[in-house]
Amino acid sequence: MPAMPDLEPNVNGRLVLVPTPVGNMGDLTIRAKEVLQAAEVIAVEDPNHSRYLLSQLGITAPVICYHEQGDYSRRLERLLNELRAGKLVAVISSAGTPSISDPGFSIVRAALSENIPVECLPGATALIPALVISGLPVHRFVFEGFLPRTGKQTRLLEIANERRTVVLYESPQRLQKLLTELIAVCGTERRCCVVRELSKKFEETVRGTLGELQAVFEKRVVKGEIVVVLAGKPD
């Protein structure tokens, strides 16, 4: 059976996901600036975090927070109403590409359910640079994002048996705990890479076995955004 054609949009509004730098402001693309400056509404994950970027670009468009805390359903409905009214709505996360480990996915799904056009600009994300510089195989990989609090042990066991390279996000406060948990299921000799503060002044990449990385980070106070790249299970 041939694929059904996309339905014609029933509104003139448009939702555009705009990647923002993970650290270095010079990574904001020209096209991203143009879309943000043209947007009639800006959806942001964290208004406090995004205020500097928007002020630097001279953007005064109304801002709607889409963080899942509080009355998220009401704010989502407000965004949909702006789109139904034919407005250009831009979505930005605190850093990187919206919908990757943030609630932007819900906005996309809601917009598509009403046949509202959705676009995503190419641009900054932390997982791809970290994967590339890790030195681990990149031809096949799995992105896990932040591991869940519920069912975490099950997910760790799945990761331990995964033969593809695995990319994880973690907070600096929980990095040492994550390394300990990975050692419990993978052993100390599994190759791993921890990338910290990508594109910023104090960017750091530490490669080694899980045991070696645990020894490095247990002696330090870790700050900044963390990406962990873990080798797949050996054949």
Side-chain angles (χ1 to χ4, degrees):
M1 175 181 285
M4 293 293 291
D6 290 337
L7 297 174
E8 287 297 319
N10 56 16
V11 293
N12 293 321
R14 184 160 54 108
L15 183 72
V16 183
L17 283 69
V18 181
T20 54
V22 297
N24 192 316
M25 292 299 294
D27 293 334
L28 188 70
T29 68
I30 294 174
R31 188 176 172 208
K33 293 178 184 178
E34 291 173 346
V35 170
L36 289 174
Q37 290 168 342
E40 297 165 276
V41 178
I42 310 287
V44 303
E45 182 185 9
D46 182 348
N48 293 326
H49 191 281
S50 300
R51 186 175 292 117
Y52 174 77
L53 171 65
L54 298 179
S55 65
Q56 288 294 105
L57 298 177
I59 294 172
T60 58
V63 169
I64 299 177
C65 174
Y66 67 84
H67 198 284
E68 288 182 325
Q69 293 179 351
D71 192 359
Y72 178 68
S73 60
R74 180 181 61 82
R75 295 195 299 273
L76 178 59
E77 185 63 23
R78 182 182 169 192
L79 282 171
L80 288 174
N81 284 335
E82 300 287 5
L83 289 162
R84 293 168 185 142
K87 294 183 179 179
L88 170 59
V89 177
V91 182
I92 59 175
S93 66
S94 295
T97 299
S99 284
I100 302 296
S101 293
D102 85 7
F105 169 72
S106 298
I107 304 174
V108 172
R109 185 166 54 181
L112 291 175
S113 72
E114 299 199 15
N115 203 33
I116 295 170
V118 177
E119 299 176 34
C120 181
L121 306 188
T125 182
L127 73 99
I128 297 300
L131 174 66
V132 170
I133 65 177
S134 70
L136 297 172
V138 300
H139 55 290
R140 298 177 69 221
F141 67 93
V142 178
F143 175 62
E144 288 285 343
F146 290 95
L147 292 179
R149 301 288 180 89
T150 304
K152 186 176 183 180
Q153 188 60 33
T154 299
R155 188 71 64 82
L156 284 166
L157 290 172
E158 292 173 351
I159 289 171
N161 290 307
E162 175 60 60
R163 296 192 180 276
R164 294 167 290 184
T165 301
V166 179
V167 183
L168 302 161
Y169 286 166
E170 189 54 280
S171 70
Q173 297 82 8
R174 295 198 297 265
L175 174 61
Q176 186 62 30
K177 181 180 179 182
L178 175 63
L179 293 173
T180 300
E181 291 170 333
L182 289 173
I183 287 174
V185 294
C186 298
T188 58
E189 298 305 308
R190 183 80 65 93
R191 301 296 298 179
C192 187
C193 175
V194 173
V195 183
R196 186 178 68 86
E197 293 284 77
L198 263 167
S199 82
K200 297 181 182 178
K201 181 179 180 180
F202 298 106
E203 177 176 335
E204 179 183 31
T205 302
V206 184
R207 304 174 184 86
T209 65
L210 282 170
E212 290 168 341
L213 294 182
Q214 183 186 49
V216 169
F217 287 106
E218 70 181 358
K219 302 173 183 177
R220 298 170 48 183
V221 176
V222 182
K223 297 181 180 180
E225 293 78 18
I226 304 291
V227 185
V228 177
V229 185
L230 179 72
K233 182 179 180 180
D235 292 333

